[in-house]
């Protein structure tokens, strides 16, 4: 299973753009890239919980300078604060290497943001699910599934029928109905199985007038003789 993470959206400043807002967003994207690279390697807020109090306070103080510079709308202060925060992440990583802290183990996962805003994460094993939540930081929007759990869900009869269809027709795609199945006209309880057939209307309908006069082609016996 390939790893695919949900990337945070980069929002373009409003138009017409405020000069400071342009500069601020650009600098914050720089910092966000450094933060995401750090979290992928060491976990979310993992190292900051392992360092001593003095280091932790310095790190948080530098982070506060970034917010203070944004509030004051000072480009020079913001640039220095962001650069200082990058150095703080570098120092945190150097501390981890020197101390011998292990990096986050590779956890193969696939993430998908659902329509309700929650994030579905699929991993291979139950142990991977525990490690993912531990190292990536708990997120109340996220629900983590391992393959064994998905197999239990897919054992439902309706899903088995869908699986059989997808085996026969690989291009088949499951879609969401725009209303409950029992609300479809003449659909009954399922919306599909007990819909009325129009076979009788076709077989017992009005006879259609002849269009071609087949007698002009002669009998079958005559045709054989030719």
């Amino acid at each position: 299973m390939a790893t695919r993470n949900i990337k945070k959206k980069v929002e373009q400043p409003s138009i017409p753009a405020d000069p400071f807002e342009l500069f601020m967003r650009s600098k914050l994207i720089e910092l966000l890239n450094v933060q995401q690279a750090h979290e992928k390697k060491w976990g979310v807020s993992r190292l900051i919980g392992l360092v001593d109090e003095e280091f932790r306070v310095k790190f948080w103080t530098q982070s506060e300078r970034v917010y203070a510079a944004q509030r004051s709308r000072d480009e020079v202060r913001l640039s220095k604060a962001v650069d200082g925060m990058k150095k703080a992440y570098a120092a945190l990583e150097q501390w981890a290497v020197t101390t011998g802290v292990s990096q986050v183990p590779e956890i193969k996962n696939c993430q998908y943001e659902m329509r309700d805003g929650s994030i579905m994460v699929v991993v291979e094993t139950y142990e991977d699910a525990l490690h993912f939540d531990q190292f990536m930081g708990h997120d109340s929007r996220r629900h983590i599934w391992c393959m064994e759990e998905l197999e239990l869900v897919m054992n439902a009869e309706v899903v088995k029928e869908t699986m059989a269809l997808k085996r026969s027709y690989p291009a088949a795609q499951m879609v969401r109905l725009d209303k409950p199945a029992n609300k479809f006209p003449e659909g009954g309880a399922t919306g599909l199985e007990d819909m009325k057939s129009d076979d009788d209307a076709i077989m017992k309908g009005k006879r259609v007038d002849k269009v071609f006069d087949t007698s002009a082609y002669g009998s079958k016996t005559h045709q054989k003789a030719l």
Side-chain angles (χ1 to χ4, degrees):
M1 184 191 300
T3 300
R4 183 175 68 86
N5 296 324
I6 296 176
K7 296 183 178 180
K8 296 181 179 178
K9 295 179 181 179
V10 178
E11 296 183 0
Q12 181 179 345
S14 58
I15 300 175
D18 176 88
F20 176 76
E21 185 181 2
L22 284 174
F23 178 82
M24 178 187 70
R25 294 204 180 192
S26 179
K27 296 300 291 184
L28 292 181
I29 288 174
E30 289 181 22
L31 182 56
L32 179 62
N33 290 336
V34 172
Q35 177 187 346
Q36 290 180 335
H38 171 88
E39 291 174 348
K40 183 178 180 180
K41 192 173 183 180
W42 299 101
V44 178
S45 301
R46 177 171 170 242
L47 295 185
I48 198 65
L50 299 176
V51 297
D52 58 39
E53 181 181 356
E54 182 181 2
F55 197 140
R56 189 180 302 115
V57 170
K58 288 182 179 179
F59 187 90
W60 285 344
T61 301
Q62 185 60 40
S63 179
E64 180 59 31
R65 291 192 179 105
V66 175
Y67 291 106
Q70 293 179 61
R71 289 194 296 268
S72 64
R73 297 176 60 83
D74 188 320
E75 290 187 8
V76 175
R77 286 182 61 189
L78 180 59
S79 181
K80 290 181 178 179
V82 168
D83 290 343
M85 199 65 216
K86 291 179 184 178
K87 293 178 181 178
Y89 276 112
L92 198 58
E93 181 169 348
Q94 183 59 48
W95 174 89
V97 172
T98 303
T99 310
V101 178
S102 60
Q103 296 184 17
V104 171
E106 181 182 3
I107 305 172
K108 295 180 180 179
N109 68 90
C110 182
Q111 300 184 39
Y112 176 76
E113 185 171 357
M114 303 181 69
R115 294 189 180 187
D116 61 2
S118 65
I119 299 174
M120 178 175 66
V121 181
V122 179
V123 296
E124 291 187 86
T125 66
Y126 178 69
E127 289 71 22
D128 286 341
L130 295 177
H131 288 155
F132 188 93
D133 188 67
Q134 176 186 357
F135 291 114
M136 294 297 104
H138 181 73
D139 188 336
S140 59
R141 298 177 305 155
R142 189 171 60 211
H143 42 98
I144 308 172
W145 300 79
C146 67
M147 300 301 291
E148 187 176 354
E149 290 175 314
L150 290 181
E151 183 182 13
L152 293 175
V153 174
M154 298 182 77
N155 273 333
E157 288 302 320
V158 64
V159 179
K160 285 184 177 181
E161 293 175 4
T162 304
M163 290 166 60
L165 287 172
K166 292 181 77 66
R167 283 195 296 268
S168 301
Y169 307 98
Q173 182 181 14
M174 181 181 288
V175 297
R176 183 190 302 270
L177 296 176
D178 60 358
K179 53 188 172 183
N182 60 359
K183 299 297 182 182
F184 281 84
E186 301 180 343
T190 66
L192 297 173
E193 296 175 356
D194 44 7
M195 291 186 69
K196 292 183 178 179
S197 172
D198 57 359
D199 290 347
D200 289 344
I202 295 175
M203 300 301 294
K204 299 179 181 179
K206 179 182 178 182
R207 290 182 60 85
V208 180
D209 295 335
K210 287 185 178 181
V211 177
F212 298 101
D213 183 4
T214 57
S215 62
Y217 297 97
S219 66
K220 291 184 179 180
T221 304
H222 179 69
Q223 290 180 23
K224 289 180 180 179
L226 292 176

